[in-house]
Amino acid sequence: MNLHEYQAKELFRAAGMAVNPGEVATDAEGARALAEKYGGSAVVKAQVHSGGRGKAGGVRLARSAGEAAEHATAILGMEISGLTVEKVLVSPIENIETEAYVGVLVDREGQCPVFMVSAEGGVDIEEVAATHPEAIHRLRVDPRYGLMPHQAYGLASKLYDDPKLVRQGAGVISRLYDVFMDNGASMAEINPLISTTEGVVKAIDAKVSIDDNELFRRTAVAALRDPASESAADARAREAGLSFVKLDGNVGCCVNGAGLAMATMDLVKYYGGEPANFLDIGGSSNPDKVVEALRIITSDPGVKVILFNIFGGITRCDDVALGIVEAVRRIGFDLPLVIRLTGTNEELARGILAEAGLAAVASMDEVVERAVQLAR
């Protein structure tokens, strides 16, 4: 679950981190009033779960309250990465001396949190990693002991030469680790972390993603979810208990099990195709879940063919077949449908499909290669 910038900043403030002021407006007059509160000049930032807001025109500087209102009018209703902007964050303009990047995320290989810091902040960290990898410094943190003070100082010393700034930076880094651990985050970053001309280190941006598996025991954090900020497909998948990730290809994939789903996408690429999504219906083979999965896939206008790859263990092939037949009846889509069903109740499933004029194969290579051909 992603948080809006203003929500992430509230977590930062609660942890005692230095964060620039800012409040949310949902219309132009609200933005005008906030800019006046901050002395007229302000930054107006789109609040939407997407990177690249600045490049899309969703971050603008206003030199007067009237200009802040104009910027809010231009930004509200704007679409960024397919998401509509419904609110803006209005903050005072800071006197920036330096910009740095600080982030902490889960290192799955090391099974621990890892910090990434760079004195080259204010730009995409991916761009820095690609062009100047030596500018990024990493530190794995042993979760048994947490981030030690000397480690925080060591990271801050990669960002600043001035001891006063190093001390402040170490405090920010320590508090960022607290936010990360205390809220069940999978990622927390500040870009940029600035030092002002007055010698103050503070976060003027914030990005936090919460591990969905942590939400059941963190009700206050779960309440921060903004359904309006999710795509319709993401919201439907979450409500149906499906694991779904939208991709840019044209082969719609419906698979049971995350490992098989990844292997299926790899095979689609191997045969020269591009997967349109990752969609795992899980171990349950409830026909209604299959129907909802197909609704989600067919809502993507880029999908040219639908590929089912089911290996029945706990998942019963006959239930999946019933779901496919029911989805064809209810939704009435005209996309090509290729199916591989093997495992539990496989023969029963083939009979169900045959009665509906559909067929399934047992070979994974055969069904994927066929799907890629049809997508072309």
Side-chain angles (χ1 to χ4, degrees), residues 252-321:
C253 302
C254 187
V255 189
N256 66 310
L260 184 59
M262 295 297 291
T264 302
M265 293 192 297
D266 285 345
L267 205 55
V268 169
K269 297 280 286 186
Y270 175 80
Y271 282 112
E274 292 292 337
N277 60 272
F278 169 103
L279 199 159
D280 171 18
I281 62 173
S284 168
S285 50
N286 185 326
D288 289 336
K289 289 183 72 174
V290 179
V291 172
E292 193 60 29
L294 278 173
R295 287 190 189 279
I296 292 167
I297 292 173
T298 55
S299 69
D300 181 352
V303 171
K304 302 301 182 186
V305 61
I306 300 172
L307 163 63
F308 265 87
N309 186 14
I310 303 299
F311 188 90
I314 297 173
T315 303
R316 289 171 44 186
C317 292
D318 58 318
D319 277 346
V320 174

Side-chain angles (χ1 to χ4, degrees), residues 40-69:
S41 298
V43 182
V44 183
K45 305 175 76 174
Q47 295 301 282
V48 66
H49 296 326
S50 172
R53 291 176 297 168
K55 294 178 182 177
V59 179
R60 307 189 185 194
L61 297 178
R63 298 299 177 183
S64 67
E67 192 175 2

Side-chain angles (χ1 to χ4, degrees), residues 36 61 83 88 92-93 120-121 131 135 145 159 202 221 250 317:
E36 289 174 348
L61 297 178
L83 300 173
V88 293
I93 294 176
E120 297 187 23
T131 57
Y145 308 111
L159 307 178
K202 64 175 70 174
V221 177
N250 57 12
C317 292

